[in-house]
Amino acid sequence: MMRKVGLMLVAGVVALVSGDISHHVKSSLHHPLGHHAAPLHHVAPVHHATPVHHATPVVHAAPVHHGKGYAPAYPDTPPHYAFEHAVNDDYAGTHFGHSEARDGYKTEGKYFVHLPDGRVQTVTYYADETGYHPTVSYEGTAHYDAHAAVPHHAPAKAYHAPQPAYHAPEPAYHAPEPAYHAPEPAYHAPIVPTYHA
């Protein structure tokens, strides 16, 4: 109860300070629930300074420097290189290679491979501003008798029909023993009275 009265007093003080309160509410604040309240002291009005608005800062991108003092990641010179590699594996019968040289925009090279038919295929090429220009040539004569023909045998049958895995279960039901026994007769022949005279 006292809490409600206290809250009403706080709300009334706030309303009085702001000036937004009716006469009816003012009178109820001075006499809440028939009790006399402590004298109300008015607080001097608070004047707030006019808010200061700051402009949003302007963010500029980092400057790009061209010219002296900036080192490029790669030198601005025309490319110049040469390489060569080859593989010769007699056991596997593999023999191939590649070589190339470049000076500026002009590239020249060749690659070769020994084919299974006994020939050597060689591609000689050059590439420049106009594109890639290959020339294909073959050395030797193709022959196909290098490998003896292997007779073909039909593969052995790998499929075997599965054995049946289902077995009929043993019956789980057994006929119960009869639990009924015939009752003994409860009827006895009546005793016939015998009269003697």
Side-chain angles (χ1 to χ4, degrees):
M1 177 76 164
M2 289 301 292
R3 185 174 178 188
K4 288 184 182 181
V5 171
L7 287 175
M8 192 167 16
L9 281 174
V10 171
V13 169
V14 171
L16 280 174
V17 170
S18 67
D20 295 333
I21 191 165
S22 69
H23 174 69
H24 176 71
V25 175
K26 282 182 186 177
S27 65
S28 67
L29 283 177
H30 289 292
H31 307 289
L33 304 173
H35 298 286
H36 294 288
L40 183 62
H41 299 284
H42 294 284
V43 180
V46 178
H47 297 285
H48 296 285
T50 306
V52 177
H53 297 285
H54 298 283
T56 305
V58 177
V59 179
H60 297 283
V64 177
H65 299 284
H66 298 287
K68 303 255 184 219
Y70 174 74
Y74 299 101
D76 193 18
T77 60
H80 180 74
Y81 65 84
F83 70 87
E84 182 175 344
H85 70 87
V87 173
N88 189 1
D89 185 354
D90 291 331
Y91 179 77
T94 305
H95 188 197
F96 60 90
H98 183 195
S99 63
E100 182 175 285
R102 181 172 180 179
D103 188 12
Y105 291 104
K106 178 80 171 182
T107 304
E108 296 178 340
K110 81 174 189 176
Y111 52 91
F112 68 92
V113 62
H114 285 241
L115 299 174
D117 63 6
R119 296 180 297 164
V120 176
Q121 179 186 27
T122 303
V123 178
T124 305
Y125 63 90
Y126 72 93
D128 56 14
E129 298 87 3
T130 62
Y132 176 72
H133 308 279
T135 303
V136 181
S137 64
Y138 294 92
E139 296 176 23
T141 305
H143 52 85
Y144 300 101
D145 56 353
H147 300 287
V150 178
H152 175 70
H153 298 287
K157 182 179 175 183
Y159 172 77
H160 302 287
Q163 297 297 323
Y166 173 77
H167 301 287
E170 294 290 326
Y173 173 77
H174 300 287
E177 294 290 326
Y180 172 77
H181 299 288
E184 297 211 9
Y187 170 77
H188 299 285
I191 298 175
V192 178
T194 315
Y195 298 102
H196 296 285

